[in-house]
Amino acid sequence: MAWITNRDCGLVDGLVRSTGLSMVRRTGLLALRSYTTLFWTLYRRRLELDSAQGSGLFWYLADASLYILVHALVFARSAAMRHEQLPDYLPPVVAHGAFVCCGILPWRALAAAGTAGSRVFRANGSLIRKSRLQPAFFAVLDGLHQFVQFCAAMGVLVLVLLAAGYRPNASVLLLPMLLAINLWVICAVVLLTGTLGVFFPAMGTVWGMISRILLWTTPIVYARRALPDWLVPWLSWSPLWALVDGYRQVLLRGEWIAVADWYRLCLAAVVCFLVGVVVYVRLADDIPDFV
């Protein structure tokens, strides 16, 4: 569904004219910085629509909590979990649930970003054609929306851990860096699926299948020891795997992320971002004609 209705077009037109966007399509992703007022206006509108449609933060948290509860009850008590270095001062159910949570939430954010992203350009096609805004503007907007919901869910996790006796150490200072990389990956996924979704309407379904593959090939709901040793080095280059490992090291194990792990995480994120940008740049000029 589009983020704005016909009733809002007057407001958007005024903002577009005031920033000069109606006269020329600005090129390059750096031009997005000049769209601040329009960006936050449309983002507030997105939040209002989510609230009106009953698909806002509450349902995001409820859906993620259901995933965490089911998978924690089924998988988290396996004997292999004893090798995951979970904090022994926490109740086992809390520690195991947090282990699953540190995997489910990043996966849930990427899955939702790809599914919503596959519709983002089509849903706002009239505004893209009318204002000649860069379509990437809407990808960044949707990526930010998915990231805010993810951060809210992570905040709930930390509050639950603190209430259960969690004792953070200095390693949590790395959390902002992990979140920044996570935002980068989310925006890359939205940009990629949004671009392909214009020309391939089934992209949402395809991404749903891809996200399921990511879920079961990343040690999110099961211990890493469940995978064959020869397969781990290959799967660990996935951006999702690297992010999940990072959150668990920082939040659960209280460890500083090793340089090699940072290298793997940053390289995987950069590759993901470049794929999204390259696909978008090659097809951007044709997007307004097809949405």
Side-chain angles (χ1 to χ4, degrees), residues 206-221:
V206 172
W207 181 256
M209 297 171 60
I210 293 173
S211 66
R212 292 292 175 183
I213 294 174
L214 287 174
L215 174 65
W216 296 113
T217 56
T218 306
I220 290 176
V221 298

Side-chain angles (χ1 to χ4, degrees), residues 106-121 139 142-143 146 185-197 200-211 214:
W107 169 78
R108 181 72 180 78
L110 291 183
T115 301
S118 65
R119 304 185 298 265
V120 66
F121 294 154
D142 200 78
Q146 300 296 336
V185 174
I186 287 174
C187 287
V189 168
V190 176
L191 190 64
L192 176 63
T193 58
T195 303
L196 296 178
F200 184 47
M203 188 61 212
T205 302
V206 172
W207 181 256
M209 297 171 60
I210 293 173
S211 66
L214 287 174

Side-chain angles (χ1 to χ4, degrees), residues 15-125:
L15 289 169
V16 168
R17 285 194 297 272
S18 68
T19 53
L21 300 178
S22 59
M23 294 183 294
V24 61
R25 171 180 289 193
R26 301 181 182 185
T27 58
L29 295 178
L30 293 179
L32 296 175
R33 292 180 301 179
S34 62
Y35 302 160
T36 304
T37 302
L38 183 59
F39 185 94
W40 290 113
T41 299
L42 293 182
Y43 184 70
R44 286 194 298 269
R45 180 58 179 156
R46 172 64 184 269
L47 294 178
E48 292 172 1
L49 282 176
D50 274 357
S51 177
Q53 297 166 5
S55 59
L57 180 60
F58 171 80
W59 290 109
Y60 183 94
L61 292 175
D63 183 59
S65 299
L66 181 61
Y67 270 104
I68 293 164
L69 177 62
V70 171
H71 289 98
L73 292 176
V74 173
F75 294 98
R77 290 186 174 276
S78 67
M81 281 296 168
R82 291 178 298 191
H83 302 277
E84 290 295 330
Q85 301 175 338
L86 302 182
D88 55 9
Y89 62 85
L90 288 176
V93 173
V94 176
H96 292 164
F99 173 86
V100 176
C101 194
C102 284
I104 284 290
L105 292 181
W107 169 78
R108 181 72 180 78
L110 291 183
T115 301
S118 65
R119 304 185 298 265
V120 66
F121 294 154
R122 286 183 175 273
N124 296 277

Side-chain angles (χ1 to χ4, degrees), residues 108-152:
R108 181 72 180 78
L110 291 183
T115 301
S118 65
R119 304 185 298 265
V120 66
F121 294 154
R122 286 183 175 273
N124 296 277
S126 60
L127 187 55
I128 291 174
R129 293 190 302 269
K130 187 173 185 180
S131 66
R132 308 301 290 175
L133 280 168
Q134 278 282 337
F137 176 91
F138 296 96
V140 173
L141 180 59
D142 200 78
L144 178 63
H145 180 66
Q146 300 296 336
F147 178 71
V148 168
Q149 294 190 116
F150 165 72
C151 287

Side-chain angles (χ1 to χ4, degrees), residues 57 61 90-91 94 98 101-102 105 150-168 172 175 251-252:
L57 180 60
L61 292 175
L90 288 176
V94 176
C101 194
C102 284
L105 292 181
F150 165 72
C151 287
M154 288 294 289
V156 171
L157 165 65
V158 173
L159 291 176
V160 171
L161 289 176
L162 290 172
Y166 170 65
R167 300 191 294 268
V172 298
L175 193 56
L251 289 175
L252 288 186

